[in-house]
Amino acid sequence: MKYILYAFIIISILSCKKEKPCITVCNKMVQHDSIIDSTIMQLNNFIFDVTTADVYQYQSEDNKGNTLDCIKIIAHQNDTFIGVYHSTINNQFCVSLALSTDLIHWEFKKQLATKASQPTIYKTANNNFVVAWEQEPNNHLKVVWYNNFNDLLNNNFSKSKDIGHTLSSDAEGTPNIYYADENIVNLGFHYWCHGNVDRQASGSLYDFNNWQSNIESCIDNALLEYNLKGNIGDRDNFIYNNYSFLIIEGQGTKNNFGTWNCFFYNENIDKAIPIQFKTHHNSQNFANPTIYFTSINNRPIVLITVFIPTDNSGKQEDRELIYYKYL
């Protein structure tokens, strides 16, 4: 009888190894920080009023008419900006690369992947490029490495890794890249928790071979304070006033695309703060946000991209919004 019991325990452990709890206890020593609170207030008051942007564009597309859905933009050199994004082409999501010199007009350069979406890009200190996206089939993370800019333009990657599921048996995707060099790529992503909703995670890819991942329950818990019933999904990281922040999307109602909104999160205070966007025609819901501090024509700017779902969008404001403000 005891051998049957041991066998049952072993089978139970193996069957559950990919399904960790959606929410766990955060063991952080969190202290109130008035400087971080005031920094978030400054950002909220200045950045998210699109009506006062110096340059903006709703319903953004490249020069071939492909939508720039969920674009991630980085600066390259000489006021050249690189964007990776997905579009629906031949009834499937495709990840593409485009260039711009003004952040509004985008020239398509290369299709990087098919059956792929939600891309992000990172430029290393040695001018290598790492791109990650959500790949089908089996909804998983894929990471590719380009040795230089020309290789990126030609989609000539030297290393790639399809990352198998480690936290969910269903889906893991929508990555951001916190840091990358020749030895490590640190990612944020979401995993499909118990076949129910997306929740937050992070992982490290060592030498494009070994993968380790962790649930980020503190982020989830902070957003769930706002009674979210749907997914907690895409995020972007940035540094402002020497503090590290996430800007992250959360869904009020499961399966309702008209209930997406965005939040700030800072791990030092372990708190999420809602973001209040203001658009020209009063769109109400926002997803897939990015914030990027850079410069154009030698003037510093803060660049924001955000996807506006069609549900509850203002007139001609749905899909990808790109705008910036001078600092």
Side-chain angles (χ1 to χ4, degrees):
M1 181 68 183
K2 67 178 181 180
Y3 297 111
I4 295 174
L5 178 60
Y6 292 158
F8 174 77
I9 291 171
I10 292 171
I11 292 170
S12 298
I13 292 171
L14 291 175
S15 65
C16 293
K17 68 179 181 178
K18 286 189 176 181
E19 294 296 348
K20 297 183 180 180
C22 290
I23 299 299
T24 57
V25 176
C26 295
N27 297 313
K28 285 189 175 182
M29 295 296 293
V30 178
Q31 296 182 348
H32 178 72
D33 192 319
S34 60
I35 297 177
I36 295 177
D37 284 341
S38 64
T39 298
I40 292 174
M41 186 177 298
Q42 290 172 18
L43 291 168
N44 243 340
N45 290 340
F46 172 63
I47 290 180
F48 300 108
D49 185 350
V50 188
T51 67
T52 61
D54 292 287
V55 175
Y56 66 89
Q57 179 172 255
Y58 298 96
Q59 299 182 322
S60 300
E61 298 180 344
D62 64 24
N63 63 320
K64 290 184 176 292
N66 302 313
T67 59
L68 301 178
D69 294 349
C70 306
I71 191 169
K72 171 65 177 179
I73 300 170
I74 60 171
H76 179 46
Q77 60 186 17
N78 301 324
D79 277 344
T80 297
F81 296 91
I82 303 168
V84 291
Y85 53 98
H86 70 251
S87 312
T88 302
I89 301 173
N90 297 326
N91 297 316
Q92 66 180 357
F93 282 142
C94 297
V95 166
S96 298
L97 170 80
L99 301 181
S100 177
T101 56
D102 63 6
L103 295 168
I104 297 300
H105 300 92
W106 289 89
E107 181 181 358
F108 173 88
K109 288 297 182 181
K110 198 73 174 180
Q111 189 176 102
L112 302 183
T114 59
K115 297 182 180 179
S117 61
Q118 306 287 352
T120 188
I121 186 169
Y122 185 96
K123 183 179 180 180
T124 75
N126 292 327
N127 295 318
N128 318 114
F129 294 88
V130 183
V131 183
W133 59 74
E134 184 175 309
Q135 181 69 56
E136 298 287 356
N138 202 28
N139 201 259
H140 63 279
L141 298 166
K142 182 163 186 174
V143 186
V144 295
W145 175 278
Y146 302 92
N147 289 326
N148 52 57
F149 181 61
N150 286 334
D151 282 352
L152 175 65
L153 289 182
N154 291 290
N155 197 23
N156 181 26
F157 54 86
S158 61
K159 296 182 285 189
S160 70
K161 178 69 173 179
D162 287 273
I163 299 174
H165 295 162
T166 53
L167 300 178
S168 168
S169 58
D170 299 302
E172 297 177 2
T174 311
N176 71 296
I177 302 174
Y178 290 110
Y179 174 80
D181 62 25
E182 290 80 359
N183 302 310
I184 189 171
V185 179
N186 293 330
L187 299 174
F189 63 101
H190 65 60
Y191 70 103
W192 188 238
C193 188
H194 297 329
N196 184 31
V197 288
D198 287 331
R199 290 294 181 256
Q200 294 299 294
S202 63
S204 295
L205 179 61
Y206 298 93
D207 298 320
F208 265 76
N209 185 24
N210 297 316
W211 171 252
Q212 296 181 3
S213 60
N214 299 285
I215 287 173
E216 295 287 358
S217 57
C218 290
I219 301 173
D220 292 329
N221 291 345
L223 269 70
L224 290 171
E225 290 290 326
Y226 295 93
N227 199 33
L228 301 181
K229 302 299 184 183
N231 296 324
I232 300 174
D234 197 8
R235 77 228 61 76
D236 192 35
N237 60 297
F238 67 98
I239 295 175
Y240 184 75
N241 281 354
N242 295 318
Y243 287 99
S244 177
F245 294 94
L246 289 183
I247 181 171
I248 184 169
E249 63 179 10
Q251 188 181 34
T253 303
K254 184 180 176 182
N255 297 325
N256 186 338
F257 285 91
T259 61
W260 283 104
N261 274 297
C262 300
F263 300 80
F264 282 124
Y265 173 78
N266 176 269
E267 66 177 359
N268 295 306
I269 59 174
D270 194 25
K271 183 167 65 175
I273 304 295
I275 290 169
Q276 302 296 326
F277 282 94
K278 180 182 178 182
T279 69
H280 294 76
H281 295 288
N282 299 314
S283 292
Q284 297 299 305
N285 297 284
F286 306 87
N288 302 100
T290 75
I291 293 182
Y292 186 49
F293 290 88
T294 183
S295 63
I296 189 168
N297 298 322
N298 296 317
R299 294 186 64 181
I301 62 171
V302 56
L303 169 68
I304 299 93
T305 70
V306 66
F307 186 84
I308 301 178
T310 300
D311 295 355
N312 298 323
S313 64
K315 182 180 178 181
Q316 296 182 328
E317 289 187 349
D318 62 329
R319 305 195 75 87
E320 194 69 18
L321 165 63
I322 300 172
Y323 70 97
Y324 66 80
K325 295 186 175 186
Y326 293 113
L327 298 175

